[in-house]
Amino acid sequence: MKGIVLAGGSGTRLHPLTVAFSKQLLPLYDKPMIYYPLSTLMLGGVREFLIISTPADLPLFRKLLGTGAELGLRISYAEQQRPAGIAEAFRIGADFVGSDPVSLILGDNIFHSPQLPGLLARGMADADGCTLFGHTVADPRPYGVVEKDAEGRLVGIEEKPAHPRSSEIVTGLYVYSPDVVELAHQIRPSARGELEITDVNRHYLAQGRARLHSLGPDSTWLDAGTYDGLLDAAAFVRSEQRRGIRIACPEEIAFRMGYIDADALYRLGSRRQNSGYGRYLMDISRGAVEAGVGA
């Protein structure tokens, strides 16, 4: 399974914060926003990534994430010249996807749940067509709203309806079979000139190849692409950290997944030892060595 993090666009919902650089580089409490979608896909077992962003922002992402080798990952980069819809990611990343299933996540979507790794693993294991991840929200009107039958099966998706038929929406996390690349080249742009991801999903739904995994009530999903969403996400991360729960630390996930050992984790933490984040990584490493784990 490969993973694409879509971190392009112009971030107009966050202007003037994003006039100078990508919203996915904005701080979300104690780490850059892109750490969160990257960590989500890592929890699903993804190790090979493509970061898609603007020509101006890609050098900054490269400086931040590098090749991924220090985390046992492979990270490559591709340019999106202008915002042209979510589905354009598959045209841009066609060579990257190749003949492999692929997961796509939007760079401003924040996910957290104790059940998330298992849910992602199940969703990624069944990659024939598309797998969508739904979440119930208070106001579904700005999103793609799902419709389910009496058995809970996905039967429809309505994009930004004025009168939603349900309160469950399609989040910015998707899993597709490799033929999504061909499909992305076939769909026509919308009136706004964008390749809509809902058109892709409806195609699979019409074929009977679309599935919905609903995130449970103990799961958190946040759209950090607005002022309130960014603030809410930072407050949530801070509140969890006060409870002793650190969210979206790629270095820790790489260690827990067995991609790097405790010594490598310690070295990564020591580079940031003046921050609480760096000291946290060093403490995990020390604890693992003392316990004889991952050394």
Side-chain angles (χ1 to χ4, degrees):
M1 176 70 64
K2 294 179 179 177
I4 296 176
V5 180
L6 187 56
S10 53
T12 54
R13 293 186 298 165
L14 284 171
H15 278 185
L17 294 175
T18 52
V19 170
F21 56 89
S22 170
K23 66 181 171 183
Q24 287 84 11
L25 291 168
L26 291 174
L28 206 166
Y29 189 54
D30 62 344
K31 59 186 76 71
M33 187 188 295
I34 197 170
Y35 274 33
Y36 295 84
L38 182 72
S39 295
T40 295
L41 294 189
M42 288 178 67
L43 288 170
V46 176
R47 299 184 67 175
E48 190 170 352
F49 291 89
L50 177 68
I51 309 296
I52 297 178
S53 191
T54 67
D57 293 318
L58 277 180
L60 300 177
F61 284 110
R62 286 193 176 97
K63 182 178 180 180
L64 177 66
L65 301 173
T67 65
E70 291 184 322
L71 299 179
L73 308 176
R74 293 176 60 186
I75 301 177
S76 54
Y77 302 86
E79 293 183 358
Q80 183 185 44
Q81 294 294 328
R82 64 175 184 83
I86 296 172
E88 190 195 24
F90 300 114
R91 291 188 179 185
I92 296 172
D95 291 339
F96 170 78
V97 175
S99 59
D100 296 309
V102 61
S103 51
L104 170 69
I105 189 168
L106 304 188
D108 58 5
N109 273 219
I110 313 302
F111 295 83
H112 179 66
S113 168
Q115 286 75 44
L116 188 59
L119 186 63
L120 288 170
R122 290 193 298 274
M124 292 179 178
D126 185 9
D128 176 32
C130 77
T131 299
L132 309 176
F133 295 84
H135 188 67
T136 299
V137 298
D139 182 10
R141 290 174 297 175
Y143 306 102
V145 179
V146 305
E147 183 180 358
K148 297 188 287 189
D149 63 16
E151 285 73 41
R153 293 173 298 199
L154 179 66
V155 295
I157 306 171
E158 190 175 10
E159 188 66 23
K160 299 180 180 178
H163 304 286
R165 297 179 182 179
S166 79
S167 58
E168 186 171 3
I169 58 100
V170 177
T171 66
L173 175 60
Y174 320 85
V175 178
Y176 296 99
S177 50
D179 60 352
V180 69
V181 170
E182 180 182 355
L183 178 56
H185 281 88
Q186 292 175 354
I187 63 173
R188 295 181 178 181
S190 66
R192 298 184 300 170
E194 297 186 352
L195 300 174
E196 302 288 353
I197 198 67
T198 298
D199 291 341
V200 172
N201 297 335
R202 284 173 176 160
H203 176 89
Y204 285 117
L205 183 59
Q207 292 183 337
R209 299 172 63 206
R211 295 159 302 281
L212 178 72
H213 288 268
S214 298
L215 301 173
D218 60 343
S219 299
T220 298
W221 172 81
L222 294 161
D223 173 7
T226 66
Y227 301 128
D228 288 342
L230 184 64
L231 183 61
D232 289 345
F236 172 73
V237 173
R238 186 186 185 207
S239 67
E240 290 296 286
Q241 194 160 306
R242 284 179 166 177
R243 297 173 53 222
I245 301 172
R246 290 267 183 168
I247 298 173
C249 300
E251 300 91 345
E252 178 184 10
I253 295 171
F255 172 68
R256 304 291 188 196
M257 301 287 280
Y259 303 158
I260 61 175
D261 60 20
D263 289 340
L265 179 64
Y266 187 88
R267 288 194 297 271
L268 291 170
S270 65
R271 296 178 187 175
R272 302 171 177 86
Q273 59 183 311
N274 288 335
S275 71
Y277 186 87
R279 292 191 293 273
Y280 171 72
L281 299 178
M282 294 167 69
D283 287 343
I284 293 175
S285 174
R286 291 192 190 101
V289 171
E290 291 173 0
V293 178

